[in-house]
Amino acid sequence: MDELEADAPGATDEGLDKDNLLLEDIGSPDHTFEKNARKFTRADIERQKQEEIANARVRQVDSQGRAYGTGKRKCSIARVWIEPGEGKFLINDNRFDVYFPMLDQRAALLHPLTETKTLGLLDVNCTVKGGGVSGQIGAIRLGMSRALQNWAPDQFRPPLKEAGFLTRDSRIVERKKPGKAKARKSFQWVKR
């Protein structure tokens, strides 16, 4: 019988001492009080994170006096720099009215500048790649909004946030499924 007890795991004097210490820690009322005192609700944690983010919002400008923002939409990625100037708007080293010839496309691009009342006061220079026309417009608009927010967070963030320009549009094309013509469209049904 003594041989079996000696072979059992944790039956040594050191193992028994450790087990006793653990049981004492778990059973002590001080331990449970500390555990309950450290509990925060999910709302408290989220509120604390938002306050830290809000306090971290400071003007972010590089050594050349430019603010930077990255925008993504569908498969397009835009890198946008904003600096004080006379209102030049360059996309991939082309004027924006040459790069996007349609009026509604230009209006969508200029919307963040009109919302913050900075149209004609800032020079915008951006490079965009990937995707199609609407994806590139959305990417440039998001990048420009983020750059404006970095330029003057206290002044430009509220109107941009209210207009919804700081939210990344995460919608992408749904994948094609087997047995379907497209993602959801079925093949034409014929009786015979």
Side-chain angles (χ1 to χ4, degrees):
M1 192 76 172
D2 293 333
E3 292 175 10
L4 290 176
E5 289 177 5
D7 291 341
T12 62
D13 290 336
E14 292 174 10
L16 291 175
D17 290 340
K18 288 180 184 175
D19 290 343
N20 289 337
L21 287 174
L22 286 173
L23 289 173
E24 288 174 11
D25 286 344
I26 292 172
S28 68
D30 294 336
H31 179 72
T32 56
F33 176 74
E34 289 175 11
K35 187 176 179 183
N36 289 336
R38 280 186 272 147
K39 282 187 179 176
F40 292 107
T41 63
R42 191 176 297 272
D44 292 337
I45 294 170
E46 191 63 33
R47 191 176 311 111
Q48 189 176 16
K49 285 181 183 177
Q50 293 297 330
E51 289 173 3
E52 290 173 4
I53 291 170
N55 292 337
R57 284 195 192 104
V58 293
R59 187 168 192 243
Q60 297 175 0
V61 180
D62 64 3
S63 60
Q64 299 174 354
R66 303 178 303 178
Y68 173 76
T70 302
K72 296 181 182 181
R73 170 80 172 99
K74 294 185 180 179
C75 293
S76 302
I77 300 173
R79 303 177 339 161
V80 182
W81 290 270
I82 290 179
E83 59 187 330
E86 53 272 355
K88 293 181 194 169
F89 198 136
L90 297 176
I91 301 172
N92 292 345
D93 296 327
N94 294 322
R95 290 194 348 251
F96 85 105
D97 54 344
V98 174
Y99 197 84
F100 293 115
M102 297 183 69
L103 289 175
D104 57 339
Q105 297 170 348
R106 293 185 219 164
L109 281 177
L110 296 176
H111 209 151
L113 294 174
T114 56
E115 198 69 35
T116 56
K117 299 177 180 69
T118 54
L119 188 62
L121 302 175
L122 297 172
D123 286 347
V124 179
N125 189 5
C126 69
T127 58
V128 63
K129 60 183 178 181
V133 174
S134 69
Q136 288 188 352
I137 290 171
I140 293 170
R141 191 170 73 177
L142 177 62
M144 193 181 340
S145 301
R146 287 180 175 172
L148 284 167
Q149 174 185 315
N150 290 338
W151 182 262
D154 297 333
Q155 183 181 2
F156 294 151
R157 182 174 168 77
L160 290 170
K161 185 75 174 170
E162 187 177 327
F165 293 138
L166 293 174
T167 304
R168 159 86 154 96
D169 192 351
S170 60
R171 297 175 297 169
I172 57 171
V173 177
E174 189 176 348
R175 80 173 196 89
K176 183 193 176 302
K177 315 303 188 299
K180 295 283 187 177
K182 292 168 41 173
R184 299 186 183 195
K185 181 180 179 182
S186 297
F187 293 111
Q188 186 174 2
W189 180 79
V190 288
K191 191 171 183 179
R192 287 182 184 84

